[in-house]
Amino acid sequence: MSRQSPFTARLFTNIGLILLIVAGLFPAIWLILTSFKLDGELVRLPITYWPDAATLSNYVQVFERNPFARFLLNSFVVSLGATLICVLFAALAGYALARLRIPGRRLILTGIVMTSMFPALVLLVPLYRLFVGAEIPGLGISTPNLLNTYWALIIPYVALSLPIATLILTSFFQLIPEDLESAAMVDGSSRTGALFRIVAPLSAPGMVTAGIIVFVNSWNEFLLALTFNTSLMMRTVPVGITFYQGEYAFPWAIISAAVTVGIVPLVALILFFQQRIISGLTAGGVKG
Amino acid sequence: MTFRAAYAAHFYFMAAIKTEKITYRKPGFWQRLRTGNLNDTQLGLLLLAPALITLFVVMLYPVLNVFWQSLRGEHLLRPWLGSPFVGLEHFQKILWGRNMVWDLQNLLSWRILGIATLLPLWWFAARGVLKRWTALAWTLTILVVFGFLLGLHPGDSGRWGDARFWNSFNITLLIIVLSVAGSFLVGLPMALLANITSPLRWLVRLAMLLPWAMPRVFTGLTFAWLFQSDYGVLNDLLARAGVNNLLQGVLEPNLIGAQGILWLSRVVPAIIAVNITIIWKTSSFVGLILLAGLQSIDKSLYEAATVDGANAWQRFWSITLPMLRPAIAVALIFRTLTAIQTFDIPYAMTRGAPGRSLETLGLYIYNTIQASNIGYAAALSVVLFALSLGITILYLRWIYTE
């Protein structure tokens, strides 16, 4: 296309591309530049673009003012836990929906996908109640208090990402040729055997795709983390970051440094798995 | 047991099996699971069980629970009252007011605008261009939108039982309309550009995936700093481009500070700033969905059109847009559903300030919970749920009828 197109068309395309790249990356670049500036430089006019005296003190401050390393650890544990459980559940469900002749399987898939439109806000009060722990009537035992534990976040994150993960993995299993599996079964392997020896290795890319999306979703979640885990040591990164701003003071340099540290894992994921993320997002989107 | 007795018993059993008096017990569920001999439905239910149980406990039960709680008046600051059954009282307070007499001017403007949009709709319906049901659904939507945005909503005059709810409803509607339209208008060219093979492709993809992966809270904080009125980079760029001097005479003086527009401390600029932030965060998702739609279009269509002498613009209008329709519908549904729940970005940027002008429905529910009014928050959640359900059904009707 671009070979035959006239000069003006190419010019517009290139301008558009540069505009897109600048608009997409500028906020992040500005964030990083801000994170290296000293406090005095931030409130000086005219504003400077390149830091005068680059400093790492903001990054030190990030870890000194709040237990930021602990926030990172919390986020990692919660997101990884949610990812592993969610992908496992979604893979089992996706296999069943893609391969087995279950009565009403389209209905089940539609039902699962429809739950993704439930606003997380609606879940806030009842889940809080559920996690506080209460005696189960009639049984004489009570559910544990899950608030301020990792489970209080892992459980809802699994549920919130299950619809998209199931959708991705169902469409992925449908792509694996069924003949492979029947061949294994003819060779004497049972259905479960075929599942674990043939299908599971082949579906690893699909699971990675779904896993990245679940991980990013869980890493980014804010509302439930803000409400359920209120003790300082159990906060996740997105919640922890909002506590750097005081009542009236906004230490922008420190906030910028904290945000920069917080997006490093996400940028690493993007750089490594670009194509996978795109295919996963669109598989979920186009099918749904 | 003697040998003879065993011998006799053997013959008895053989005879019994032949006459089907005794049948061997079928292998049980667990045995067949071990040997891999479950039938499809049993194995399927076994595999689906973890996902379905999770969804039932964490999604379905809470929604039903919220419906139940919305009928009860639990208030954590008044624990001695318990949670008394109050019926539809909360909903009456949310949806109705004390003195619902509309003033004539509002009524007239609402009617004129409503009729002006409804007439062509029903004209099309009568001509058979539109399905009756589609027309009816859109009529209801237009009535709601025009009703609340233009006429019915009397602002803070106090006629509504809960003016704060209508304020949050309006700002949520405004965010839905502006940010969904905006992210679509930005996302479409983005998809077209990302579809072109160029040496910068990986950078384009990074620029598209970064906003998607960035947590909404981080986005809000980052943009709050960009929009900062004194030391923010946006006002500096506007000043350098000379826009500031231009605006000085045009805008109301209280919107402009020493260094430029007071983005986050005045109502209208704050609404614009929050919407720009939401659009930056979400348009790349729309772009990615549309990109997948673009890549599934058959290339031969374009070649045929080029042979027939269609220019690029005509190809776009008569091939790309119609073929993109399913992808557009999906992107719009997802975007609208997330826009209804807008919470993180206004929370991170201004916490709903200035005043309560940016208190979205989500923020209002959160604040109500923080104020310990659990029953009322549940009722608000039911309204939010009904809103997203209604919009989903409307979209699905639109997809399936056309």
Side-chain angles (χ1 to χ4, degrees), chain A residues 23 34 49 101 129 275 285, chain B residues 40 74 205 213 225 236 280 330:
Chain A
T34 305
Y49 280 67
R101 273 170 291 280
R129 243 168 230 294
Q275 191 50 51
Chain B
D40 271 14
E74 185 171 4
R205 286 198 166 151
W225 176 229
D236 188 66
W280 182 84
V330 167

Side-chain angles (χ1 to χ4, degrees), chain A residues 24-110:
Chain A
L25 298 181
F26 179 74
I29 292 169
W30 188 250
L31 195 75
I32 294 167
L33 288 179
T34 305
S35 72
F36 287 119
K37 288 177 186 169
L38 283 167
D39 262 350
E41 193 181 341
L42 284 186
V43 291
R44 206 173 59 207
L45 287 171
I47 68 168
T48 51
Y49 280 67
W50 197 253
D52 265 352
T55 167
L56 282 175
S57 69
N58 296 315
Y59 288 89
V60 178
Q61 287 273 310
V62 166
F63 288 91
E64 272 178 2
R65 285 207 185 181
N66 277 315
F68 197 76
R70 177 70 196 221
F71 296 167
L72 281 170
L73 175 78
N74 292 342
S75 268
F76 264 113
V77 171
V78 167
S79 307
L80 263 182
T83 306
L84 291 178
I85 298 174
C86 185
V87 170
L88 176 69
F89 286 8
L92 295 176
Y95 178 80
L97 291 170
R99 273 302 151 72
L100 305 176
R101 273 170 291 280
I102 309 165
R105 63 174 170 174
R106 275 204 62 80
L107 201 69
I108 297 174
L109 183 61
T110 315

Side-chain angles (χ1 to χ4, degrees), chain B residues 176-196:
Chain B
I176 292 173
V177 173
L178 288 180
S179 76
V180 173
S183 64
F184 179 73
L185 289 179
V186 178
L188 184 61
M190 209 185 247
L192 294 172
L193 286 171
N195 201 21
I196 298 168

Side-chain angles (χ1 to χ4, degrees), chain B residues 90-96 160 162 165-166 376 379-380 383:
Chain B
H90 291 321
F91 293 102
Q92 197 208 350
K93 190 183 170 199
I94 294 172
L95 300 172
W96 204 244
W160 291 98
D162 187 356
F165 166 77
W166 288 109
Y376 200 65
L380 289 170
V383 173

